[in-house]
Amino acid sequence: MSAIEFIQKNQNRNLVLFVHGFTGSNETWINDLGQEFPKMLLEDNQIADNYDFAYITYYTTLVDMYGFKVKTNFLKRMFNLETELARKNLGINQLGEFIQSVIQFNCDCYENIIIIAHSMGGLVTKSFILNEINKDVPSNKVKLFLSLAVPHNGTEWGKLGEKLFSNVQAIDLKPLSPVLSQINQNWVHCKTLPRTICFYGQYDEIVDEGSAILFQAEKPETVPCDDNHNTITRPKDKSRHVYVAIQSILRKFAEEISLGEPFQVRPFIDQGQLDDEIFVLRLLIADVHNIHINSAKQTFFNAEYMRKVLVNQGEHAIATLADLYSRIETFYSIAFGKLMSGDLNNSNHLVTYVHEHLSKETDFLKSTIPLLGGFQKMGMLHQLMNMMEKDLWWAQQQNIQSIEQFRKARGI
């Protein structure tokens, strides 16, 4: 059993973690048709473009066979037989420490973490968040906590689990248990909590509304769902309210963080994946220096990321981008005229001139999207250069036939 299983890992800056509850597993998120809740969400292009997804898994079982397994392993060792790991149920705080370690060593590359947790998984998540906040150097990466039918104030089913199975996790789940009381007290007094949204099932017979809504200094947002304790994690289709709500929350969070700060330059590792793109071929046939080609690849890569983010913002962003592309193309045409007239010496001079002026905040190239910088605008020019139908060149007397001839010569 792997502690973390990535469903999508595309080097996005945001990670959504799914944390199951008592006696649960990754199957917690699979409906009767075999559809996984996370994969249903990833069918939304805006979500797929902005998030990586992963499952967090920990050991939890109704009947704890740890003592029996320990004795069995002891007997096996006496006869030099192979033994297997004897697992046991751990308390909520111990599980919180475990997932804190899992996230630390597997998710350090992410800027923002969103946790979607069900039932006891939400209590484990709270314990983890409090541990993280109280570190000497807290990461503060958890920005959003979606609590799905989490018994913040315990559940009567915990008493039954304690009596029938002496289960340590069930004991922690009892109303007013020492563990829950301490977590809730620490949570109420914490001043740097992530945004928390409490989902509850209106037909939930295990965790009622009163327990599913946590206490904290600021009143948490709540989302009532026409679900029970199990169906809230496995919507049968995309019309279910829990799906619609979580889809909307993830989309809005992606919009907020993308528009709330400048587009950071994303590292591009050149493994030849852009070598056959039209904008690269146009640079090559103009005998432009490699340093300009490498710069073009980096800016093109970042402009493609920027375009995907902004296109998802709606018609206004699309219209604004279209206007800026048009003005960048016009600016390039003016610069190419300078090459034709002899004001610019050669193709390298043209590339340098265009890149230099695109990086400046000239009135002609200003955008109503203030987060767009010169780096993205340079990439936008190379996006235009990547369109075969565009008559954009870095040298005189070149055309589409020049590209076709160059391709044949390279065997492309």
Side-chain angles (χ1 to χ4, degrees):
M1 179 179 66
S2 175
I4 186 166
E5 178 185 331
F6 280 89
I7 307 161
Q8 170 169 289
K9 194 173 186 181
N10 288 343
Q11 295 183 318
N12 284 306
R13 56 193 291 214
N14 313 305
L15 174 65
V16 179
L17 290 173
F18 289 80
V19 184
H20 64 77
F22 179 54
T23 71
S25 66
N26 294 351
E27 294 184 1
T28 294
W29 312 99
I30 303 176
N31 65 23
D32 293 339
L33 301 175
Q35 299 168 314
E36 297 180 53
F37 194 3
K39 291 183 179 179
M40 291 169 66
L41 290 166
L42 285 171
E43 291 174 6
D44 181 301
N45 290 334
Q46 184 178 357
I47 291 176
D49 287 344
N50 285 279
Y51 297 97
D52 286 349
F53 276 29
Y55 290 126
I56 290 280
T57 307
Y58 56 87
Y59 185 78
T60 174
T61 184
L62 185 61
V63 181
D64 197 333
M65 302 294 291
Y66 176 72
F68 174 77
K69 291 176 182 177
V70 168
K71 293 174 182 177
T72 301
N73 282 342
F74 176 75
L75 292 174
K76 286 182 177 180
R77 282 193 292 270
M78 288 181 62
F79 295 97
N80 201 27
L81 298 175
E82 184 178 350
T83 61
E84 61 182 40
L85 177 63
R87 295 179 182 274
K88 65 178 178 179
N89 284 331
L90 300 175
I92 286 172
N93 284 330
Q94 288 175 289
L95 292 174
E97 292 170 354
F98 173 67
I99 69 167
Q100 181 181 20
S101 179
V102 171
I103 292 171
Q104 176 184 350
F105 291 106
N106 291 276
C107 311
D108 188 56
C109 60
Y110 294 99
E111 297 175 30
N112 305 297
I113 294 176
I114 294 87
I115 297 182
I116 301 176
H118 177 238
S119 194
M120 188 181 75
L123 303 176
V124 174
T125 296
K126 285 170 67 179
S127 179
F128 148 65
I129 290 172
L130 291 169
N131 288 340
E132 190 64 28
I133 289 172
N134 290 324
K135 284 170 57 176
D136 291 338
V137 184
S139 68
N140 295 322
K141 287 189 175 185
V142 179
K143 302 298 197 308
L144 186 58
F145 171 31
L146 304 188
S147 165
L148 271 59
V150 174
H152 297 287
N153 300 310
T155 171
E156 295 297 326
W157 286 80
K159 294 180 180 178
L160 183 62
E162 178 190 19
K163 290 180 180 179
L164 294 180
F165 307 106
S166 299
N167 191 312
V168 65
Q169 293 172 354
I171 293 171
D172 283 352
L173 288 171
K174 290 192 309 178
L176 302 177
S177 74
V179 169
L180 281 190
S181 298
Q182 188 62 56
I183 290 176
N184 286 333
Q185 182 179 347
N186 293 342
W187 190 268
V188 167
H189 290 96
C190 188
K191 297 180 180 180
T192 56
L193 294 172
R195 178 188 173 194
T196 302
I197 304 176
C198 295
F199 289 68
Y200 63 91
Q202 293 177 314
Y203 307 107
D204 192 333
E205 297 179 348
I206 296 177
V207 179
D208 60 28
E209 177 184 347
S211 186
I213 299 175
L214 53 71
F215 291 111
Q216 59 182 36
E218 295 184 4
K219 186 178 180 180
E221 302 169 63
T222 60
V223 180
C225 299
D226 54 339
D227 283 295
N228 62 31
H229 195 68
N230 293 320
T231 61
I232 200 168
T233 64
R234 51 192 80 180
K236 63 180 181 180
D237 56 54
K238 295 179 182 178
S239 68
R240 299 297 297 171
H241 185 59
V242 66
Y243 174 88
V244 173
I246 290 179
Q247 178 196 38
S248 175
I249 290 166
L250 292 180
R251 287 172 65 95
K252 287 181 180 177
F253 181 82
E255 292 171 8
E256 289 168 3
I257 59 174
S258 65
L259 296 179
E261 57 188 52
F263 289 106
Q264 296 180 349
V265 176
R266 295 166 65 87
F268 171 67
I269 301 174
D270 190 355
Q271 297 177 328
Q273 61 270 45
L274 297 179
D275 287 353
D276 296 334
E277 296 288 341
I278 301 299
F279 79 95
V280 173
L281 299 181
R282 280 179 161 151
L283 290 163
L284 288 171
I285 63 177
D287 197 27
V288 169
H289 195 277
N290 278 338
I291 194 168
H292 287 312
I293 295 175
N294 293 335
S295 173
K297 289 179 179 179
Q298 173 79 306
T299 58
F300 176 85
F301 174 77
N302 277 270
E304 286 289 284
Y305 168 74
M306 172 275 303
R307 181 187 58 79
K308 287 194 295 184
V309 171
L310 291 179
V311 164
N312 285 322
Q313 309 305 318
E315 294 182 2
H316 173 72
I318 294 173
T320 303
L321 276 181
D323 175 66
L324 184 55
Y325 278 120
S326 178
R327 283 184 282 128
I328 287 174
E329 187 173 356
T330 299
F331 172 76
Y332 155 82
S333 299
I334 295 170
F336 192 79
K338 290 180 177 291
L339 177 68
M340 296 284 287
S341 65
D343 289 348
L344 298 177
N345 301 329
N346 52 42
S347 298
N348 279 297
H349 195 183
L350 173 59
V351 175
T352 302
Y353 177 86
V354 173
H355 279 190
E356 178 184 2
H357 284 76
L358 285 175
S359 66
K360 295 178 179 178
E361 281 299 317
T362 62
D363 290 337
F364 183 67
L365 293 172
K366 278 186 178 177
S367 169
T368 56
I369 303 174
L371 309 177
L372 272 178
F375 202 79
Q376 286 77 26
K377 292 173 185 174
M378 283 187 267
M380 292 171 73
L381 173 62
H382 293 295
Q383 286 177 319
L384 293 169
M385 284 281 182
N386 205 45
M387 302 176 186
M388 183 71 88
E389 67 273 15
K390 293 286 185 182
D391 193 27
L392 306 179
W393 305 94
W394 294 109
Q396 301 180 43
Q397 299 177 339
Q398 290 183 342
N399 51 42
I400 292 175
Q401 187 177 0
S402 305
I403 289 182
E404 297 301 335
Q405 292 171 346
F406 189 79
R407 278 175 158 173
K408 289 180 180 178
R410 295 184 65 190
I412 298 175

